[in-house]
Amino acid sequence: MPDPISIRVETNQPATMRDGTLLYADVYRPDGPGPFPTILQRTPYDKASPLSALMLDPMKAARAGFALVIQDTRGRYTSGGEFYCFVDDINDGYDTVEWAASQPWSSGRPPHLAAIAPNVTASNYHDGWTYQGGAFELGFNVSWTMLQLTLANFKTHSAVKNIPQARGAELLKAGGLADYFFDWLEHPSYDDYWEKLCVEDQHSNINVPALNIGGWYDIFLGGTIRNFLGMREKGATEDARRGQKLIIGPWQHGSRGGSMAGDHYFGVAADAMALGLDEIHLRWFQHWLNGQDTGLLDEPPVKIFVMGDDVWRDENEWPLARAQATSYYLHSGGNANTLHGDGGLSPVPPADEPPDIFLYNPANPVPTRGGPLCCNPYFAANGAFNQKEIEARPDVLVYSTPELERDVEVTGPVTVTLWAATSATDTDFTAKLVDVCEDGCARNLTDGIIRARYRESMSSPSLVDPGRAYCYTIDLWATSNVFKAGHKVRLEVSSSNFSPLRP
């Protein structure tokens, strides 16, 4: 056996940003003069936290011959400056790459940024992060801002802003600790505030390959897919376009690589260790930083976990070229309310059928039960759960196929086109795709929402005329699931999917 590699860990290494702010990083590397190919990870969640190892185990990377740098971003934990979501990361990220490349232990191989590995992240910080379909992501935004960003890092925040600790809760409510949260509320439409932060608008300027990793139950699944497609089509170089990889597991945010999503077990194959996700990372960087032929680019660019069959499958593209786009239509006798109603789903277009009607009461919204959420189960648990309790509500329309006579695979993007009228000048419409098993358990797969005023544009909202029917397109992002023989394909439609804030 080869001798084990001795690892050297250097903590709180300072990097000076262009405005003079010092950001601090921990460096894991082989104990030797180097130089070593260098991997940079920047985090707002504390560089010393075990969460950092969820992206790539730093000790494993160092044993493989890399220097791995984990940096606290601006205003977080050990790093100086004031934290404001998204804005400073553009310049700070560039400056830190250049700092890392200049270190004596770094190979500094030009170009200094050679490849990236975006994990569970968005492509647009407006639609797909703070908002979805024009609706404010209240449960996510409050839980993430309050718990992960503000209270978890309160000591640093209070020192920067000179805030007495006793006044922390008061100032969190009134602003001062998370000004960006209130700025998000002030910018509900896609405007200049969001445009300058938009990743997908810059796909044509990205000149490095990317290993894109996401989860079917991840809150940023839509952005992960859009990043892959956008850079594959518009990347600035042939390496950037050809070098796009996409991996999607049955994973939820915050526990990437697990076999459980919600209360559903997807089998041992779903686990990141069974897949060898760290090894895929290391092969990725060995190829692009070391020039080693790891065979990675000879493999298909897409790897997806097919739920239902619970297996990994390699694909040559996304969406799959061999997939047949199939439309299913809503049917009823006008009483599709609840799972006991007469709502049907089939490939046959509807005849002359009456409309379905439900009463949406904002004071009693349809609660969220799983799905692509984040970040704390106290607000709303993410992942796959039984939806039967939700489907018992009269304000939920339920449309189901008959029991399937054979397995039916649904892999690819999912959208719902809904013609609907409302008595209000604005409302939301929601849709959820569900797999119903033989015993009636209804497992959510993916869901979406559209705010009526944003039905045509996220930049130019327009209210609706009460009583007039409009066409709404609800983006459910994507899934890969085999509906087994004996199961049913189900669609839920309502006007809310609400994560309540508990007192």
Side-chain angles (χ1 to χ4, degrees):
M1 294 180 61
D3 293 333
I5 295 177
S6 178
I7 305 301
R8 183 172 183 176
V9 181
E10 299 171 307
T11 60
N12 295 324
Q13 300 299 294
T16 304
M17 302 296 102
R18 64 188 63 184
D19 65 353
T21 300
L22 290 178
L23 308 187
Y24 290 89
D26 295 343
V27 180
Y28 301 76
R29 61 182 176 88
D31 189 10
F36 309 104
T38 301
I39 301 169
L40 170 64
Q41 178 181 318
R42 306 182 68 246
T43 178
Y45 304 125
D46 187 359
K47 58 184 172 57
S49 166
L51 282 173
S52 298
L54 285 178
M55 309 307 288
L56 175 60
D57 185 334
M59 301 302 288
K60 187 178 290 186
R63 284 193 293 269
F66 292 93
L68 192 140
V69 179
I70 306 179
Q71 183 190 68
D72 284 332
T73 56
R74 179 179 293 250
R76 305 296 296 172
Y77 298 92
T78 62
S79 287
E82 183 174 345
F83 175 74
Y84 186 102
C85 269
F86 314 130
V87 170
D88 295 300
D89 292 310
I90 298 170
N91 290 335
D92 287 352
Y94 181 94
D95 293 349
T96 304
V97 167
E98 296 305 301
W99 168 83
S102 71
Q103 299 306 299
W105 39 257
S106 174
S107 62
R109 178 183 174 188
H112 293 152
L113 184 63
I116 56 177
N119 278 241
V120 293
T121 192
S123 65
N124 183 326
Y125 292 122
H126 174 258
D127 186 33
W129 191 294
T130 52
Y131 292 82
Q132 184 179 347
F136 190 66
E137 293 264 26
L138 181 64
F140 163 57
N141 289 327
V142 171
S143 66
W144 183 57
T145 299
M146 183 170 66
L147 299 179
Q148 277 76 17
L149 296 186
T150 303
L151 296 183
N153 193 42
F154 183 77
K155 184 177 180 180
T156 301
H157 276 310
S158 58
V160 169
K161 289 179 172 286
N162 195 26
I163 296 170
Q165 187 164 345
R167 295 190 59 209
E170 173 191 343
L171 285 171
L172 178 62
K173 294 176 182 177
L177 285 180
D179 293 335
Y180 46 86
F181 179 90
F182 300 94
D183 289 341
W184 298 342
L185 289 171
E186 289 292 321
H187 295 270
S189 301
Y190 184 76
D191 56 15
D192 292 344
Y193 175 89
W194 299 108
E195 186 175 3
K196 62 186 178 184
L197 303 173
C198 185
V199 175
E200 61 192 49
D201 286 353
Q202 301 298 322
H203 283 159
S204 61
N205 294 323
I206 295 175
N207 60 5
V208 294
L211 174 63
N212 301 276
I213 299 174
W216 295 127
Y217 292 97
D218 184 76
I219 191 170
F220 306 128
L221 170 64
T224 297
I225 293 173
R226 289 202 297 268
N227 279 332
F228 169 77
L229 293 174
M231 289 184 284
R232 191 170 175 82
E233 177 187 356
K234 302 175 183 177
T237 66
E238 177 63 24
D239 273 352
R241 294 187 293 273
R242 180 171 173 264
Q244 295 299 315
K245 292 279 188 178
L246 178 65
I247 299 174
I248 305 178
W251 304 323
Q252 59 193 42
H253 199 84
S255 60
R256 183 219 66 174
S259 293
M260 291 289 297
D263 63 7
H264 189 83
Y265 177 62
F266 286 100
V268 67
D271 190 271
M273 292 184 66
L275 176 64
L277 195 56
D278 275 345
E279 287 69 28
I280 293 173
H281 265 100
L282 294 175
R283 289 177 61 209
W284 174 255
F285 289 118
Q286 283 162 350
H287 178 95
W288 293 109
L289 301 185
N290 282 348
Q292 289 181 231
D293 184 5
T294 63
L296 202 64
L297 291 190
D298 296 327
E299 298 173 2
V302 177
K303 183 183 292 290
I304 57 173
F305 189 89
V306 183
M307 299 179 288
D309 282 349
D310 292 346
V311 296
W312 288 99
R313 199 168 68 201
D314 290 336
E315 298 290 349
N316 291 318
E317 70 285 307
W318 181 273
L320 312 187
R322 67 181 184 280
Q324 298 178 346
T326 305
S327 295
Y328 277 72
Y329 298 91
L330 311 184
H331 297 268
S332 82
N335 296 291
N337 311 70
T338 82
L339 75 167
H340 305 296
D342 62 3
L345 197 63
S346 86
V348 179
D352 185 14
E353 301 173 13
D356 291 307
I357 299 172
F358 63 90
L359 176 64
Y360 165 48
N361 180 3
N364 182 29
V366 178
T368 299
R369 176 77 169 144
L373 304 172
C374 179
C375 288
N376 191 292
Y378 180 81
F379 291 90
N382 56 341
F385 291 92
N386 192 347
Q387 303 297 304
K388 287 185 68 175
E389 183 179 339
I390 303 298
E391 295 170 350
R393 293 176 58 110
D395 53 356
V396 177
L397 305 180
V398 179
Y399 304 91
S400 307
T401 66
E403 291 187 359
L404 299 174
E405 297 180 356
R406 58 179 179 83
D407 290 359
V408 174
E409 180 179 334
V410 175
T411 294
V414 181
T415 59
V416 171
T417 302
L418 184 70
W419 280 91
T422 175
S423 60
T425 58
D426 196 17
T427 191
D428 295 335
F429 288 104
T430 65
K432 185 190 303 171
L433 182 64
V434 177
D435 185 348
V436 184
C437 61
E438 295 95 332
D439 65 4
C441 176
R443 173 170 60 93
N444 56 302
L445 295 172
T446 186
D447 57 65
I449 188 170
I450 186 68
R451 182 148 292 175
R453 71 176 71 182
Y454 293 108
R455 66 197 178 278
E456 296 175 346
S457 168
M458 291 295 158
S459 300
S460 303
S462 60
L463 299 176
V464 299
D465 295 330
R468 176 184 169 187
Y470 293 84
C471 182
Y472 299 94
T473 300
I474 307 175
D475 187 356
L476 276 62
W477 293 345
T479 194
S480 180
N481 184 74
V482 175
F483 294 82
K484 293 296 192 178
H487 286 214
K488 298 178 182 179
V489 181
R490 177 169 290 171
L491 181 72
E492 300 174 14
V493 174
S494 190
S495 278
S496 54
N497 189 354
F498 183 70
S499 301
L501 301 180
R502 304 180 186 181

